Structure formats: structure tokens, C-alpha cells
Amino acid sequence: MVNDSDFQNEDYEEPLSPLDIEVLWNRLKSLEYNNMVGIIQLEQDLYSAIKQFPLINDYSILMLHLQLMKGQIERANVMAYKIWEKGGDIRTEPYLLYLQDLVALNLREMASEICESFISELDDLPEELFVPLFNFAFAQADADLILSLAARMREDVFEVIQNIIQSYQESGAWDIFADFQDIIFTKTSHQLCDYNIEFNAAGEYPVLIINLYVSTLKNQENDIIIALQQYCAENMLAFPNNLEVKVLAIQSHLPVERSLLPV
């Protein structure tokens, strides 16, 4: 007599539920920001997952990020506080996404606490997951944290970042950069969906680029640049020549897997 167990594959694994956090997380990471149909479909599945698994806060973080993808700043802000109050264990990548979203919402005290939880584990954190930490460090104008992160990156990346920070510090412009961040977050209040930095090392000297993704594009780039230039004029300071600020529509943002948590 043959038993059913004789046909069972020892390596067989039960397929994941469509509402499993890993399934929905992978869908979010690859989702285009201009794909409103995909965003709404994922949002509906997240509602079901949150109802079915109310104790798993990771689902709420994904939902929060979808609100920023849609430009729903006020709704995202409310959700950010609810996630904070709920607490609990959260997977590393969603937790870093939460950090990133707190920066965009200018909830930097909360973001600071999350960042602190990662600092003692930096040597164990993969280099490709440093992006949210870098974005927070620049938003805070925390040169020590920036250099600490850079020291754990590839040598060429470290040299670019070190060059930029040293040029600001040696010229006395680091305080200007810190004040710039306050101006940026004030001018983009209730409109900022994401804040991230990048570097352009192709020219004569490395340039730091701050990308501000907003819910509605209304000539804000000029407004912000004018405000920064006015600050410099009022304080008789030169605008840093290795800084560029860009204001972009949230729909033009690259998917999470290519911008924030690259593979």
C-alpha cells in the first residue's frame, strides 16, 4: 500500500498568502509612483491585511507610504502618529521606510529616535540600506552622523561625501546648510512627500543635490531658491556653489526599490 506521504516533497513550502507582509512589501517596492491604479489596488489589499492582522504594524507603514505616494500629506501625518503610538516589532526595511517618511513629514524628533536605534548596529546593516539614514542625517545637518555613515561605504563614495562636508566646514558654510534645511521644511510644509539627497561627482567638484518631492508642483522651486538666496543676502553670505535644490512632482519619483532601498 502506498501512503500519500510517499509523494510529499520534503522541500515543499506552503505558498504565501496574497496578504502576507512580504508579498505586499514586494509589491510596494516595485510600484511606480504614477501608477494610481496600482496604488489603489495595493491600498485595498492593505486595508484587508490591517483588518486581518491588526497587531502587525508593518502593514500600517506601507499604508502610510501609499498616502505620501498619493500626495495625501495630512492623512499620512495622522497615520505616522498612530504607528508611533502602536509600536511593536517592525521589520528592518519597513522601519527604515518609516524613518524616511517621518523626515518628509518633518517629524524629525521621532525620526531621530528611530535613527538612534540603528546607529549601534551600523556595522551589521547592509550598505545599500543606508539611504534613509543619509537622508535623515542631511535633513538634520548632522555632519558627524553623515561622516560615520560614509566611513562604512565604498571608498569612492566616502571620498565624495567627505569632500562635500569638508568644503562646507572649511568655508564656514555648514551653519548655512543647517539653516537652509529649516527654510526648506518651512516652505514645503503640508506639501512635502519625500526628501532625499544625491551627489553629482561628474564635474570639477562634487555637488550635493537635495530632491524635494511635493504633492502639487506650483513653481515651488523658484520660491525655495528665492528664500534661500534671500537668507544669504540678508546675512551677507555667499550661496554654496556645490549645492543644488530641486523640487519635483511626487509622480516622478522612482520606485522604492530603486531609490530608497536598492537591491
Side-chain angles (χ1 to χ4, degrees), residues 82-102:
K82 288 184 177 179
I83 292 167
W84 187 264
E85 292 167 2
K86 187 175 179 181
D89 293 332
I90 301 173
R91 293 163 178 79
T92 297
E93 290 190 357
Y95 206 34
L96 285 167
L97 182 64
Y98 184 41
L99 166 63
Q100 177 69 23
D101 291 345
L102 290 175

Side-chain angles (χ1 to χ4, degrees), residues 90-97 99 114-136 145 148-154 260-262:
I90 301 173
R91 293 163 178 79
T92 297
E93 290 190 357
Y95 206 34
L96 285 167
L97 182 64
L99 166 63
I114 294 178
C115 187
E116 285 291 333
S117 69
F118 282 104
I119 288 176
S120 62
E121 303 175 0
L122 285 180
D123 291 333
D124 298 323
L125 192 67
E127 179 180 315
E128 62 268 19
L129 299 184
F130 277 20
V131 175
L133 298 171
F134 266 118
N135 290 334
F136 168 76
L145 177 56
S148 178
L149 292 167
R152 293 169 169 83
M153 303 289 283
R154 300 194 319 265
L260 189 63
L261 302 167

Side-chain angles (χ1 to χ4, degrees), residues 11-64:
D11 296 327
Y12 174 79
E13 294 183 5
E14 192 72 24
L16 292 176
S17 160
L19 297 183
D20 184 89
I21 185 60
E22 290 300 326
V23 173
L24 297 182
W25 172 241
N26 287 329
R27 283 175 60 187
L28 175 69
K29 286 197 297 184
S30 62
L31 188 58
E32 298 284 348
Y33 279 63
N34 61 357
N35 182 0
M36 190 54 62
V37 172
I39 289 173
I40 292 173
Q41 289 174 343
L42 179 53
E43 187 176 40
Q44 291 171 343
D45 288 340
L46 279 170
Y47 276 124
S48 299
I50 291 170
K51 185 176 180 179
Q52 186 171 338
F53 307 105
L55 299 181
I56 302 179
N57 222 358
D58 303 53
Y59 290 112
S60 296
I61 290 175
L62 272 58
M63 181 70 83
L64 161 63

